[in-house]
Amino acid sequence: MYEVFSLYRTEISYTVVTVFVLLIVQFLLKKAAHRVGKRSEINFTRTKLMFKYINILILFIAFFLLAIAWGMGLTELSLIFSSVFAVIGVALFAIWSILSNITSGVILFFSFPYKIGDKIKIHDKDLPIEAIIEDIKAFHLHLRTLEGELITYPNNLILQKAVSLVEKDVYLDEDKSSL
């Protein structure tokens, strides 16, 4: 055991430092996402989704740094990453709307001015929608119309259409009136 440690001392110490630093960065990023979610009154399930994205990002960074630490050259690493991204790129080109909706979900997390319970109007010339936001997911919004119909609206479309606030916190107002 001592021979292994003495042989790979620099790699092991670099691994320990890298893991420690990345855990601190992950903690800080999650704390920042939690703070943004709390300040913006974002539903905690949406904040947990951001935590998953942060975990994936940290894993990619960890793989890259540890591969370099253990002797994988930049040529081999760039070959692996370019191959993986080429395959992912071809696959995602076939299903680009999923990537678009995930990206839109991240944008909505940080900058969507409407909350769950707000009554909004989507100004679409083909299909105008007036509904209450029931839930905001990674790929879509759940909207409940005044007639009780549930509409699943893609995140990428909500960023492309004009949206106006009709009434704020409709669910909360109904809950208060029943007390």
Side-chain angles (χ1 to χ4, degrees):
M1 180 70 170
Y2 179 74
E3 294 169 1
V4 172
F5 184 73
S6 63
L7 185 63
Y8 295 109
R9 182 180 4 197
T10 56
E11 290 88 353
I12 292 172
S13 57
Y14 186 80
T15 300
V16 169
V17 169
T18 301
V19 168
F20 182 71
V21 168
L22 286 177
L23 285 175
I24 291 172
V25 169
Q26 181 184 29
F27 174 76
L28 293 175
L29 286 174
K30 283 184 176 183
K31 190 114 173 130
H34 184 66
R35 196 174 322 121
V36 167
K38 201 171 194 178
R39 186 174 0 131
S40 302
E41 298 175 0
I42 295 173
N43 191 345
F44 186 68
T45 55
R46 291 183 59 211
T47 305
K48 284 178 27 180
L49 183 64
M50 284 294 107
F51 292 168
K52 288 181 185 177
Y53 293 154
I54 289 169
N55 289 340
I56 292 170
L57 174 69
I58 294 295
L59 281 174
F60 275 125
I61 293 171
F63 175 77
F64 179 76
L65 292 176
L66 293 177
I68 290 174
W70 285 90
M72 187 177 283
L74 287 177
T75 359
E76 295 90 4
L77 203 56
S78 64
L79 179 65
I80 290 172
F81 273 109
S82 63
S83 300
V84 167
F85 285 127
V87 170
I88 290 173
V90 169
L92 290 179
F93 180 74
I95 51 173
W96 67 270
S97 64
I98 291 175
L99 180 62
S100 171
N101 282 319
I102 290 173
T103 306
S104 299
V106 171
I107 293 170
L108 288 177
F109 177 78
F110 289 107
S111 66
F112 194 52
Y114 312 112
K115 309 283 183 259
I116 294 174
D118 289 352
K119 185 181 200 183
I120 61 169
K121 182 171 186 176
I122 301 171
H123 302 278
D124 187 2
K125 65 179 182 177
D126 297 328
L127 180 67
I129 298 171
E130 188 169 328
I132 298 168
I133 301 174
E134 269 194 4
D135 201 1
I136 303 172
K137 303 277 188 185
F139 296 101
H140 54 271
L141 297 171
H142 283 178
L143 304 172
R144 181 75 59 185
T145 64
L146 303 176
E147 295 80 29
E149 179 183 11
L150 179 66
I151 297 175
T152 303
Y153 204 79
N155 285 342
N156 61 351
L157 288 183
I158 200 77
L159 292 177
Q160 296 173 12
K161 305 290 180 185
V163 179
S164 60
L165 178 66
V166 176
E167 194 174 347
K168 191 142 188 76
D169 295 329
V170 174
Y171 285 140
L172 295 176
D173 291 340
E174 289 175 0
D175 291 340
K176 290 176 186 173
S177 65
S178 66
L179 294 177

